[in-house]
């Protein structure tokens, strides 16, 4: 698929641009020659990847709360995007326990606002709402959730993403099928890793923080299995999905899993060991404290996405950890900049 041909000069709105995935996506779209517009919220210039990638010099960023429908509508109508990649969210399970109301508000009402504005507009053609692999009803299955499996969630974050999925589905069923101008899809990916993630209580940022400070790495749940993947893999999937929705909104509307291949879920402890190997040294200590419920196993079934979108994950887990640790090592040692290495990793992937 020729991404340059599809995305060049297109007006694209990315919500959650100041976040981890959003910043990578903005840079990728910028490389492709798209006219990118970004929405972020509560940015911290010292922390945000968006600023380390110098995206503020290339892309228009609007600091805006997606719960504010009036402001959001005014902004979307001002720029009139053809594509929207909606990534803005409260994306952390632990934060969801601390701030359940806010988590629900941002993840459901925020998504509803985006859907409603897109539905009424005559210009949005391709809308991708990024939800999560946590949207499925937990059953500790090791066989992999299919897109048609039951939605659910025990914790507020998972519940909010399941609720967002239901809202998205109703918009597809009630409006997309009738008007056919706008393609609406939800993208469900697993735990991603890659350079520049600064979120607390996420495995890779915690590992890198400890390694950099020469501290022991403490892990909570060594045997939790997750479909870890490099951030580039699902983003590549979102770009394929966006392009297909643009070409044929009806055919590609719906839910899509962007996970890893079968039997590739990897334990937290294994990831830590790979990270230590790539860093050169490090120690790990297990500090069991299962305060909150989290699923023990989580695997997505990606057969539909592979078959119809012709997407499949490119990086094996070892490659993903290697690329991620390489990113941090080089940026922290100042042998390259965040912008240079992120761009290089995207271009290498596209080759
Ligand atoms: N990182 C992962 O492992 C992972 C896994 C599954 C799903 N996801 C989903 O992918 C998306 C991106 O995740 P991420 O890891 O980049 O998260 P992140 O925390 O790095 O970024 C979240 C972004 O959302 C923005 N945001 C938060 N509240 C907002 C509000 N009220 N109004 C406007 N913007 C707001 C933040 O400013 C930030 O730009 C989220 O929808 C998340 O649920 C992430």
């Amino acid at each position: 698929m020729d991404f340059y041909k599809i995305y060049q000069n297109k007006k694209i709105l990315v919500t959650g641009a100041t976040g981890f995935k959003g910043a990578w996506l903005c840079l990728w779209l910028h490389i492709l020659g798209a006219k990118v517009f970004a929405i972020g919220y509560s940015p911290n210039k010292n922390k945000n990847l968006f600023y380390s990638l110098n995206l503020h010099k290339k892309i228009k960023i609007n600091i805006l709360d997606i719960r504010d429908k009036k402001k959001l509508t005014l902004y979307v109508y001002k720029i009139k995007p053809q594509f929207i990649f909606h990534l803005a969210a409260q994306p952390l399970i632990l934060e969801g326990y601390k701030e359940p109301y806010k988590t629900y508000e941002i993840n459901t009402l925020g998504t509803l606002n985006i859907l409603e504005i897109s539905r009424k507009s005559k210009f949005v053609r391709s809308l991708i709402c990024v939800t999560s692999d946590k949207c499925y009803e937990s059953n500790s299955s090791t066989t992999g959730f299919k897109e048609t499996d039951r939605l659910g969630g025990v914790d507020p974050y998972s519940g909010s993403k399941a609720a967002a999925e239901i809202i998205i589905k109703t918009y597809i069923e009630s409006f997309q099928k009738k008007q056919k101008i706008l393609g609406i899809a939800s993208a469900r990916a697993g735990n991603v890793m890659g350079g520049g993630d600064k979120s607390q209580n996420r495995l890779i940022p915690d590992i890198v923080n400890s390694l950099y400070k020469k501290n022991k790495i403490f892990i909570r749940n060594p045997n939790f299995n997750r479909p870890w993947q490099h951030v580039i893999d699902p983003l590549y999937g979102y770009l394929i999905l966006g392009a297909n929705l643009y070409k044929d909104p009806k055919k590609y509307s719906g839910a899509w899993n962007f996970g890893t291949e079968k039997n590739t879920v990897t334990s937290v402890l294994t990831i830590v060991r790979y990270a230590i190997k790539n860093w050169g040294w490090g120690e790990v200590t297990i500090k069991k404290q299962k305060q909150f419920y989290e699923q023990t196993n989580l695997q997505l079934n990606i057969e539909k996405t592979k078959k119809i979108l012709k997407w499949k994950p490119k990086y094996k887990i070892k490659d993903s950890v290697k690329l991620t640790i390489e990113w941090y090592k080089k940026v922290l040692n100042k042998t390259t900049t965040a912008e240079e290495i992120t761009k290089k990793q995207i271009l290498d992937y596209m080759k």
Side-chain angles (χ1 to χ4, degrees):
M1 181 173 277
D2 187 351
F3 279 165
Y4 288 97
K5 213 169 155 187
I6 295 154
Y7 286 107
Q8 201 162 39
N9 289 322
K10 295 286 190 326
K11 284 201 242 172
I12 301 181
L13 174 64
V14 178
T15 75
T18 49
F20 168 50
K21 278 184 174 178
W24 274 81
L25 182 61
C26 284
L27 184 63
W28 199 332
L29 288 165
H30 179 76
I31 292 170
L32 296 174
K35 291 179 187 157
V36 188
F37 298 85
I39 289 180
Y41 187 56
S42 310
N44 175 338
K45 289 198 182 196
N46 298 320
K47 282 189 183 167
N48 283 148
L49 185 58
F50 189 87
Y51 296 92
S52 332
L53 298 182
N54 282 317
L55 287 167
H56 57 298
K57 295 179 186 160
K58 306 177 174 86
I59 288 173
K60 258 204 147 14
I61 172 101
N62 193 348
I63 301 306
L64 193 154
D65 187 340
I66 52 162
R67 289 169 290 179
D68 187 337
K69 187 162 173 255
K70 207 168 162 191
K71 279 196 183 150
L72 186 62
T73 308
L74 283 174
Y75 184 58
V76 176
Y77 271 75
K78 189 174 159 203
I79 59 174
K80 297 192 172 48
Q82 294 140 300
F83 292 78
I84 299 182
F85 290 92
H86 172 47
L87 282 82
Q90 188 305 95
L92 303 171
I93 292 179
L94 289 188
E95 189 64 21
Y97 279 109
K98 286 184 210 150
E99 299 264 14
Y101 189 85
K102 189 172 151 196
T103 301
Y104 270 102
E105 256 194 335
I106 297 174
N107 296 356
T108 59
L109 280 183
T111 302
L112 181 61
N113 286 342
I114 293 283
L115 282 160
E116 183 63 4
I117 294 165
S118 303
R119 172 177 84 89
K120 289 189 171 160
S121 86
K122 297 265 184 297
F123 41 82
V124 182
R125 207 174 146 80
S126 181
L127 168 62
I128 292 97
C129 297
V130 172
T131 64
S132 171
D133 57 356
K134 315 281 184 312
C135 69
Y136 294 106
E137 183 165 281
S138 168
N139 59 8
S140 286
S141 158
T142 47
T143 56
F145 293 107
K146 284 193 190 134
E147 286 84 348
T148 45
D149 278 351
R150 203 184 166 108
L151 299 167
V154 172
D155 63 281
Y157 169 71
S158 306
S160 73
K161 287 291 185 174
E165 282 286 352
I166 292 174
I167 297 171
I168 296 162
K169 187 158 188 254
T170 61
Y171 266 69
I172 296 173
E173 294 294 330
S174 311
F175 310 113
Q176 194 283 324
K177 285 187 175 164
K178 285 181 200 133
Q179 55 133 308
K180 295 178 194 139
I181 306 164
L182 165 70
I184 306 169
S186 72
R188 304 165 179 176
N191 285 48
V192 292
M193 62 174 73
D197 191 3
K198 297 271 170 68
S199 308
Q200 278 188 330
N201 293 314
R202 271 189 187 159
L203 184 61
I204 294 287
D206 286 354
I207 294 174
V208 172
N209 226 349
S210 305
L211 291 173
Y212 187 62
K213 290 182 183 154
K214 299 188 168 40
N215 291 338
K216 271 188 184 171
I217 302 165
F218 288 103
I219 51 174
R220 292 187 308 243
N221 300 306
N223 302 322
F224 271 21
N225 294 308
R226 290 286 182 265
W228 305 95
Q229 53 191 170
H230 195 277
V231 64
I232 298 186
D233 262 332
L235 289 185
Y236 183 63
Y238 304 166
L239 288 171
I240 295 179
L241 178 57
N244 279 310
L245 272 179
Y246 189 81
K247 279 194 288 187
D248 192 339
K250 190 175 162 67
K251 181 171 173 194
Y252 295 97
S253 286
W256 301 89
N257 281 343
F258 293 96
T260 53
E261 296 284 6
K262 258 185 215 159
N263 305 322
T264 54
V265 287
T266 310
S267 74
V268 166
L269 188 58
T270 307
I271 299 292
V272 175
R273 291 202 171 122
Y274 288 159
I276 289 175
K277 192 168 167 245
N278 282 285
W279 189 268
W281 54 267
E283 273 183 82
V284 56
T285 300
I286 294 152
K287 202 177 177 186
K288 283 234 174 197
Q289 40 153 231
K290 201 178 165 194
Q291 281 167 285
F292 300 113
Y293 173 83
E294 283 187 60
Q295 288 192 56
T296 313
N297 292 305
L298 227 179
Q299 169 81 70
L300 293 174
N301 178 313
I302 56 171
E303 292 313 305
K304 174 188 165 191
T305 312
K306 277 166 78 175
K307 193 171 160 207
I308 302 172
L309 291 184
K310 310 280 179 251
W311 170 89
K312 63 175 182 179
K314 188 164 167 177
Y315 290 137
K316 301 222 161 46
I317 183 64
K318 279 190 181 172
D319 305 323
S320 303
V321 179
K322 189 167 175 253
L323 282 169
T324 305
I325 297 299
E326 185 194 13
W327 192 104
Y328 282 105
K329 257 177 113 170
K330 289 194 170 166
V331 173
L332 291 169
N333 293 337
K334 297 195 169 47
T335 53
T336 184
T337 64
E339 184 183 0
E340 274 166 8
I341 189 164
T342 309
K343 199 169 173 184
K344 182 181 178 308
Q345 292 189 347
I346 290 173
L347 292 174
D348 286 349
Y349 187 92
M350 285 206 291
K351 275 184 215 156

